[in-house]
Amino acid sequence: MSTAFQIKQNGDYFVCKNQDVIYDGVYLFTNQRGVRKTALMMPPTHPASWVSAFGSLTVSQIGKENPNGGINEKGLVVEQTTLWQTEYPASDVRPAINELQWIQYLLDTCSTVQEVLEAAPSIRIDQSTSKLHYLIADRSGNRAIIEFLNGKMTLYKGDLVIPIMVNSPYEEALKEIESGKTNWSDCDEYQKNSMQRLLTVSKRMQENSNHVDVIDFAFEVLNSAKREDTVFSLVYDINRMEVHAYTNRNTERKTIKMVDFDFANGSLSQSVDLQRLRAKNVTEQFETYNTEFNHNAVNSFFRNPTLTAIFKWEISDEMIQFLARYPDSFS
């Protein structure tokens, strides 16, 4: 499920996100500049390769290099929510990447929404396990929503009437809201919940007041769209380069500042379990990234009994080790 939206106040821009999922592991990683990467693709698919031009802070439930979302040091934010109508492009000559690492690729190589729109068509998403659409925003206030419908990339950019993304196709959902519809009793529970969250957030955003602390307001809006399975809530303060967060098991609001981390080529990546991160002395609680930390993240996700029962995957210990060590293959 999940909800993502952009807020503007006094020339400042914020991207807000609720992650709704039945698994509550969640981790933060820093990612350095100047790292040569190759997408995690199984043969015979041709994997995309690139060098990270920008450092980033990413949040992931699966492990390093497969983020749910994040912000880079230029202020570009990429977030996603589930969209079951997604149909990624068919196989062609372009190099490929999976649907989560595509987020890392954009954060690594783009500084603005315009650069994302120019770069996105050059590679394709393949070997995916999730159907997603994406909200992109930058420091100048530009924003875009990217969907893959009927095998083609669909872009919504510029002055989006409602800069909100739930779990319904953007254009269809916008028409529903603009028509004045407020009841979706004729829809299944999934789509009904999606549209109700969109309506709730759009109404709350109209209440935005310059006299209200915008971070408090952003979390109030996120709280209005929470579900029983909301695992974490984030507010990206793009202009101040900060991420504010709390989780379902740790309701202290934490502030992570990009300025506190070194993203230089050759510096050491940092990581932390967001469920355990306390509000005081945030940076000191990050630890130098290592394979063991990533193995714990990867293993806890793919060995989760509920997820295993739903997706019916059979993943060997060797494959989990491979996924955990994957970031170590970069130069």
Side-chain angles (χ1 to χ4, degrees), residues 13-132:
Y13 299 95
F14 307 82
V15 172
C16 312
K17 168 72 178 294
N18 276 343
Q19 178 78 0
D20 308 328
V21 67
I22 56 176
Y23 167 74
D24 63 3
V26 52
Y27 310 92
L28 295 177
F29 299 95
T30 64
N31 309 279
Q32 277 39 57
R33 299 188 295 268
V35 179
R36 185 177 298 278
K37 304 181 181 182
T38 299
L40 185 60
M41 288 281 109
M42 298 297 107
T45 299
H46 175 55
S49 295
W50 68 97
V51 176
S52 58
F54 310 111
S56 62
L57 175 71
T58 51
V59 55
S60 176
Q61 294 191 283
I62 299 177
K64 187 171 172 62
E65 298 297 327
N66 284 286
N68 296 87
I71 181 172
N72 72 14
E73 57 186 331
K74 292 297 183 179
L76 181 73
V77 172
V78 183
E79 267 295 350
Q80 51 73 33
T81 68
T82 300
L83 181 65
W84 285 111
Q85 292 88 339
T86 293
E87 182 182 339
Y88 298 115
S91 178
D92 57 32
V93 297
R94 291 176 297 170
I97 197 167
N98 74 42
E99 75 280 15
L100 291 181
Q101 199 171 26
W102 195 66
I103 295 172
Q104 188 67 60
Y105 167 78
L106 296 179
L107 293 172
D108 283 348
T109 61
C110 301
S111 62
T112 65
V113 169
Q114 183 58 39
E115 289 183 6
V116 168
L117 300 182
E118 293 170 359
S122 65
I123 62 174
R124 63 184 179 85
I125 295 175
D126 196 3
Q127 298 180 9
S128 61
T129 56
S130 303
K131 295 178 178 292
L132 307 175

Side-chain angles (χ1 to χ4, degrees), residues 194-210:
S194 173
M195 292 304 302
Q196 286 176 334
R197 281 182 284 118
L198 177 58
L199 179 62
T200 297
V201 172
S202 63
K203 286 184 174 180
R204 288 302 310 273
M205 286 177 64
Q206 294 174 18
E207 302 169 5
N208 188 8
S209 169
N210 291 336

Side-chain angles (χ1 to χ4, degrees), residues 50-273:
W50 68 97
V51 176
S52 58
F54 310 111
S56 62
L57 175 71
T58 51
V59 55
S60 176
Q61 294 191 283
I62 299 177
K64 187 171 172 62
E65 298 297 327
N66 284 286
N68 296 87
I71 181 172
N72 72 14
E73 57 186 331
K74 292 297 183 179
L76 181 73
V77 172
V78 183
E79 267 295 350
Q80 51 73 33
T81 68
T82 300
L83 181 65
W84 285 111
Q85 292 88 339
T86 293
E87 182 182 339
Y88 298 115
S91 178
D92 57 32
V93 297
R94 291 176 297 170
I97 197 167
N98 74 42
E99 75 280 15
L100 291 181
Q101 199 171 26
W102 195 66
I103 295 172
Q104 188 67 60
Y105 167 78
L106 296 179
L107 293 172
D108 283 348
T109 61
C110 301
S111 62
T112 65
V113 169
Q114 183 58 39
E115 289 183 6
V116 168
L117 300 182
E118 293 170 359
S122 65
I123 62 174
R124 63 184 179 85
I125 295 175
D126 196 3
Q127 298 180 9
S128 61
T129 56
S130 303
K131 295 178 178 292
L132 307 175
H133 55 170
Y134 303 86
L135 174 63
I136 321 292
D138 63 28
R139 297 185 79 172
S140 66
N142 290 329
R143 64 271 184 103
I145 288 175
I146 300 178
E147 297 180 339
F148 296 90
L149 303 173
N150 301 314
K152 297 181 179 180
M153 182 183 294
T154 303
L155 303 176
Y156 305 98
K157 59 183 180 177
D159 189 20
L160 301 179
V161 177
I162 301 178
I164 308 168
M165 194 171 67
V166 284
N167 308 105
S168 308
Y170 180 75
E171 187 173 32
E172 293 180 14
L174 181 61
K175 289 179 179 178
E176 292 272 289
I177 296 297
E178 289 181 329
S179 72
K181 188 174 181 178
T182 59
N183 186 293
W184 290 272
S185 57
D186 55 332
C187 298
D188 61 34
E189 285 301 314
Y190 187 93
Q191 282 303 317
K192 180 179 179 181
N193 182 266
S194 173
M195 292 304 302
Q196 286 176 334
R197 281 182 284 118
L198 177 58
L199 179 62
T200 297
V201 172
S202 63
K203 286 184 174 180
R204 288 302 310 273
M205 286 177 64
Q206 294 174 18
E207 302 169 5
N208 188 8
S209 169
N210 291 336
H211 301 293
V212 177
D213 180 275
V214 67
I215 303 297
D216 289 343
F217 175 74
F219 277 113
E220 288 176 11
V221 179
L222 285 169
N223 192 58
S224 71
K226 281 181 65 174
R227 292 166 38 91
E228 291 183 359
D229 59 356
T230 300
V231 174
F232 60 87
S233 299
L234 304 174
V235 176
Y236 298 89
D237 185 336
I238 298 179
N239 297 78
R240 294 170 183 81
M241 302 294 287
E242 297 175 349
V243 180
H244 305 267
Y246 71 86
T247 70
N248 60 338
R249 291 195 280 112
N250 183 357
T251 56
E252 277 190 311
R253 189 195 299 177
K254 280 77 64 176
T255 300
I256 304 98
K257 300 180 179 181
M258 296 283 284
V259 70
D260 291 335
F261 297 96
D262 184 0
F263 298 102
N265 178 242
S267 63
L268 298 176
S269 176
Q270 304 292 305
S271 56
V272 75
D273 183 338

